[in-house]
Amino acid sequence: MTVTPIPDGYHSVTPWIIGRDTAGLMDFLAAAFDAADLGGRVVDDQGRIGHAEMRIGDSVVMMFDQPDWPPTPAFLRFYVPDVELALKNAVAAGGTIVTKPTHMFWGDIVARVSDPFGNLYWLHTRIELVDETELQRRFTDPKFLAAMTYVQGSLYRPTA
């Protein structure tokens, strides 16, 4: 039997989300992004989750409770089929809009949403392929400059 260095279903990079309410985070991720619990949840005798995994799209996100650590918010970028729908679902699940859907110069619609636990999600949908010539033109286009100013100006500071 051949062993592959990266397990099936995983990618080279797998993010961790460390927090104080992993069960609540998992509920949020399921409702907001249709994340699937991959099982294997490890819970200690005090009810803290020591390890859990969820699949969001084609990627795995791992998470665990660590109530004694300082807040360490995650910043995750998701490519989704429909930014507006993903944002709507995240808000319905308890998220807060940080950046409204914005057409960016490189061809993505981008929105940002924070969850009730202090994590930030960049939601992207590629809507066009932009060649180098057009990309250079857009660097000076007032529409795209305003979009970049808006996105960069809506800085996010975790509160959880």
Side-chain angles (χ1 to χ4, degrees), residues 38-128:
L38 296 180
R41 188 183 304 195
V42 177
V43 181
D44 71 13
D45 58 354
Q46 295 178 345
R48 290 184 300 233
I49 296 176
H51 179 86
E53 298 181 15
M54 296 190 85
R55 182 171 307 284
I56 304 171
D58 66 354
S59 299
V60 173
V61 177
M62 296 182 181
M63 57 210 71
F64 65 91
D65 289 322
Q66 190 55 264
D68 299 332
W69 283 20
T72 55
F75 289 67
L76 302 176
R77 180 181 190 177
F78 294 170
Y79 271 95
V80 297
D82 182 337
V83 164
E84 303 245 358
L85 180 60
L87 186 62
K88 178 182 172 187
N89 291 341
V91 168
T96 301
I97 295 173
V98 174
T99 307
K100 296 176 187 171
T102 306
H103 184 187
M104 302 303 290
F105 67 89
W106 63 85
D108 287 5
I109 298 287
V110 175
R112 292 183 292 182
V113 63
S114 63
D115 69 19
F117 311 98
N119 303 298
L120 180 70
Y121 306 91
W122 291 73
L123 307 175
H124 288 243
T125 299
R126 177 69 38 97
I127 61 166
E128 60 182 335

